[in-house]
Every structure is written in structure tokens, then in C-alpha cells.
Amino acid sequence: METDTSFQSLFGHSSVQGFNPYSRAVFGDLAACHTAAKGYHLSRCDRQECGNTVHRYHSCGNRHCPNCGSMKRDAWIEGRMEELLPTAYYHIVFTLPHELNPVIMGNRSELFDLLFLAASQTLTKHARMPEYLGAEPGITMVLHTWGQDLSFHPHVHCIVSAGGFDGIRWVDAKRKNNRFLFPQKSMAGMFKAMFMEGLEKDCSLSWKEEKNAVLKAVRFKKWNVYAKAPFGSPDRVVEYLGRYTHKIAITRHRILEVNATHIRFSYKDYADGSKTKQMWLSHEEFLRRFEQHILPRKFVKIRHFGYLRFQGRRERLDLIRTALSLEPQKEKVLIPFRIRMLEKYGKDILKCPCCETGRMTVVFDTRDRTNRKPKPLRMKPAPS
């Protein structure tokens, strides 16, 4: 049995029935992706002499699916290209202490929102200080909830511009050597204070463990804010975005083996010099860990702040580009799926794979309720 097939069928394991209804629905999508359960469409070559027909099963389109998302990722990255400016960009990671995991698991939406709020305000408040920048930077944040071994490890990756916009003009980065954006200790202290304040004031949270004991455990602990060196160029920013924005808990290339009872995958052990290691998990344990990283329904995991915040973003970027003597933003063009496949893989999905001259046209699609059973192809008689 091939690893990819086994990996996908794993999502239909009987232990999934013990999860909540939404998680069961997600696993149902993942197990059915590119199978008859999601329906199919029938394409036929338009050359009567050929008449080649091809069945293609539909994808599930679920954002947690290992098979889906690459084209959405490419489109999202292209949409961000016009927002890159001639300034340095920093990578900063805000991580929550593992002692908070039990309360986060029971209040995911509320505490993920609080994580975004505390991290974004930490960055914008530092940026508004005259000694650091005196303006609003552009901030893109992506929520991740996993470690390499699929443990629950909520954190946000942030891309932050070194320069900023004060509402009238562009403000260049004050740290010309680009060694760091803001002091790490100052960011960690402010992030901790803001998250703790929100955690203590929210009376709607459900606590699986004794509240005061949890708060005491994290109050006197050093919180982690990791600040990397700035990216070398805008291309590096795009490369980073491509790796992180639409990433899921585990990708297929890390799956090494799936047998009747266990799954083996590779992971990086950052506590041991980022060495690549392997881990065996039972099917039940693997699915339990994977389920921890299913986001709440309709939860937005990519968010923008500062001059990149959604409201009025286009107008602000136009003002910034004018101030920097840059060309205006180009109008966004929706690139069809066929063109993306051609550019990325060099494959024309409309070209008949049999005769290589005809074009494949859809004659039947299970998603179209007006469809009727496709008519049989009438072949022209062979010339005498």
C-alpha cells in the first residue's frame, strides 16, 4: 500500500468518531479528498477522431488538508507582492507558555484572538515610540498551533517592516544597521502583561484547572519573544510567506511510513540543535495530536495590522508609494487555475493527454444539479 494513500485513509480511522462534530466533519473531508465521495467531473476531447474521456475526482478544499491549498497559497502571495516596500523586514515570533495549554484548548477562539491582540499591540506600541520609529509599521501575522512533533504549541509568526507610516509621510527605519527592531526584553515584558491582563479580566473563560494556580505558574515565568535578523530582500519575505501562511500541522513529505497500527514521520528537534529525527505514533495518538490543530470554524489565522490593516489599506499604500516615489499599485487580476498550473508545473490541463492536440471540455459534473447523464460519443466512420 502506498504511503500517501495510507496516510489519507488514516483520517477515516474509527477513533475519529470520538472527536467533536466539527472535527469529525474536517476529518471526513480529508479522508474523502480526491475520491468518489467528493464527486467527479467527466472531461472529453473535442476531437471526434480521438474522443478520449477522463474522470477527475474533486478535492475537498479544506484548509487543514495535506492535498489542498498550494494554489490558494500562490494566489495569496501574489496579492501581497504589491504591498512590499523598499525597507527591511523582520521575523518575530510570540509564543505562549505551555502551562496555558489546558485553558487555551478549552477556549481556543477567545485566547487565539487575545494572542493576536497582545502581540500586535506590543509591536505597534513599540513602533509608535519616537526612539524606535515614531510611526505604524506594516505587520502580517500567522497563527501556528503546532510543534514539529505535533505537540500543542500556540504561537504567531510576524513579519514587521522596519519603516512605517505616520498618517502623512513615510518614516525610514531609525536603526540603520538593522541589527534589531525593538528590544527583545521590552517586547516580552509588554506581551506578557497584555496577555495576562486579558486572561484575568475575561470572566467567560472555562478553566479545566485551578485558575489561580495556572496564573501563578505563568506570572513568574519568562515569556518567549523570538526576534530573527531581518530578511535580506523582498524575495526572502515572499519565500517566508510561502512557507508559513498556508502551512498545516504536518505535510505529506514528512510521512515516512504507515502500517496497520502506527505512523512514522520526520521532525526537527529544536531542543537538540535542530537535528532531524523520526517518531513513531499509533494511529489513535497521531489523530489525537492532529485534531488539536484544527482551527475553530471560520477562524481567521492570517491577520494584518499597522498600515496593512484591512480598513483603508489600498488608500494608505497608495499614499506610501507616492511618498516613496514608487509606481502606483497594479490592479489585481484573477489568474485562472489553468494558467497557474501551466506556470507552476508546465502542464496544460485542457490539452488532451491522448492525442495532444484536442482540448478537454467538461461534459458532466456531479456538482452541477442540471447535469444529465453524458451522451455517448458518436465516432465518425473510418475513411474507406
Side-chain angles (χ1 to χ4, degrees):
M1 185 181 295
E2 294 184 358
T3 296
D4 284 355
T5 304
S6 301
F7 179 41
Q8 183 170 335
S9 63
L10 192 59
F11 296 122
H13 192 273
S14 59
S15 64
V16 169
Q17 298 307 311
F19 298 146
N20 65 68
Y22 178 61
S23 293
R24 291 202 301 270
V26 170
F27 278 114
D29 279 343
L30 272 51
C33 188
H34 290 113
T35 69
K38 285 295 178 184
Y40 71 95
H41 63 269
L42 173 67
S43 299
R44 177 179 291 158
C45 179
D46 62 0
R47 289 185 67 244
Q48 292 287 331
E49 296 84 357
C50 177
N52 176 46
T53 58
V54 176
H55 289 79
R56 295 191 187 278
Y57 293 122
H58 298 153
S59 62
C60 68
N62 195 293
R63 62 176 171 173
H64 302 93
C65 181
N67 297 317
C68 302
S70 65
M71 293 301 172
K72 291 180 181 178
R73 178 194 62 207
D74 293 345
W76 188 89
I77 290 175
E78 289 176 8
R80 306 282 78 78
M81 281 292 291
E82 286 294 316
E83 298 169 359
L84 293 176
L85 299 170
T87 186
Y89 287 87
Y90 290 82
H91 176 196
I92 299 176
V93 184
F94 292 86
T95 303
L96 294 174
H98 66 85
E99 289 88 351
L100 290 174
N101 284 356
V103 65
I104 295 173
M105 291 291 291
N107 306 272
R108 297 193 196 195
S109 293
E110 297 84 355
L111 295 186
F112 288 161
D113 282 339
L114 182 57
L115 172 58
F116 273 111
L117 179 64
S120 62
Q121 287 194 357
T122 295
L123 292 172
T124 54
K125 286 189 176 184
H126 275 83
R128 291 189 185 114
M129 296 178 188
E131 63 268 32
Y132 296 137
L133 183 60
E136 278 192 331
I139 304 170
T140 297
M141 291 188 174
V142 185
L143 172 69
H144 281 183
T145 61
W146 57 85
Q148 279 273 306
D149 60 355
L150 294 186
S151 58
F152 191 64
H153 179 63
H155 56 283
V156 285
H157 291 268
C158 312
I159 296 176
V160 188
S161 65
F165 186 58
D166 67 359
I168 301 175
R169 62 187 179 89
W170 175 257
V171 179
D172 288 324
K174 291 195 174 183
R175 302 186 180 277
K176 301 301 182 183
N177 57 9
N178 289 329
R179 289 181 59 192
F180 66 95
L181 185 60
F182 311 128
Q184 187 270 344
K185 289 185 178 179
S186 178
M187 286 194 294
M190 186 179 293
F191 170 61
K192 175 181 178 180
M194 289 185 173
F195 193 93
M196 289 291 292
E197 181 182 5
L199 188 65
E200 292 174 344
K201 286 185 176 180
D202 193 341
C203 298
S204 66
L205 300 178
S206 59
W207 293 77
K208 294 182 179 179
E209 298 184 6
E210 209 278 318
K211 179 178 179 179
N212 291 331
V214 174
L215 294 177
K216 182 179 179 180
V218 296
R219 183 176 288 114
F220 299 102
K221 184 174 182 177
K222 181 181 177 181
W223 287 37
N224 185 27
V225 175
Y226 178 59
K228 287 187 177 181
F231 294 97
S233 67
D235 292 342
R236 294 287 305 279
V237 180
V238 174
E239 179 187 348
Y240 169 83
L241 289 173
R243 281 204 312 266
Y244 281 91
T245 51
H246 291 72
K247 197 173 183 180
I248 62 169
I250 191 168
T251 49
R252 286 185 300 170
H253 77 274
R254 289 176 55 200
I255 305 300
L256 303 176
E257 183 181 349
V258 180
N259 61 30
T261 58
H262 287 75
I263 180 170
R264 179 167 61 95
F265 62 91
S266 63
Y267 71 99
K268 284 185 179 180
D269 188 348
Y270 292 112
D272 189 14
S274 297
K275 293 180 181 178
T276 299
K277 299 182 179 181
Q278 297 181 10
M279 177 175 289
W280 280 98
L281 293 177
S282 68
H283 292 176
E284 293 83 357
E285 176 61 14
F286 173 81
L287 292 169
R288 184 195 71 80
R289 294 192 187 192
F290 193 100
E291 195 270 341
Q292 292 180 125
H293 311 299
I294 293 178
L295 295 173
R297 188 191 302 269
K298 298 183 179 180
F299 187 86
V300 180
K301 74 167 188 175
I302 306 174
R303 304 186 186 186
H304 307 276
F305 303 90
Y307 67 71
L308 289 177
R309 64 187 181 277
F310 182 75
Q311 188 173 9
R313 176 166 59 189
R314 178 88 185 184
E315 293 75 14
R316 271 192 306 279
L317 287 173
D318 284 338
L319 289 173
I320 293 172
R321 296 184 74 86
T322 299
L324 292 171
S325 300
L326 300 175
E327 293 183 0
Q329 298 179 84
K330 298 177 182 178
E331 291 296 327
K332 293 182 181 180
V333 178
L334 183 62
I335 301 177
F337 178 78
R338 177 204 172 198
I339 302 300
R340 291 196 180 278
M341 287 290 291
L342 190 61
E343 291 178 345
K344 189 169 185 177
Y345 301 108
K347 180 180 180 181
D348 186 352
I349 60 175
L350 295 184
K351 184 178 181 180
C352 177
C354 182
C355 67
E356 297 188 346
T357 55
R359 292 175 65 81
M360 303 299 292
T361 57
V362 177
V363 295
F364 180 76
D365 192 329
T366 56
R367 293 171 295 196
D368 186 352
R369 295 183 180 181
T370 64
N371 275 325
R372 296 181 180 180
K373 188 176 181 180
K375 297 179 180 179
L377 182 69
R378 295 182 180 180
M379 303 293 292
K380 288 184 176 181
S384 57

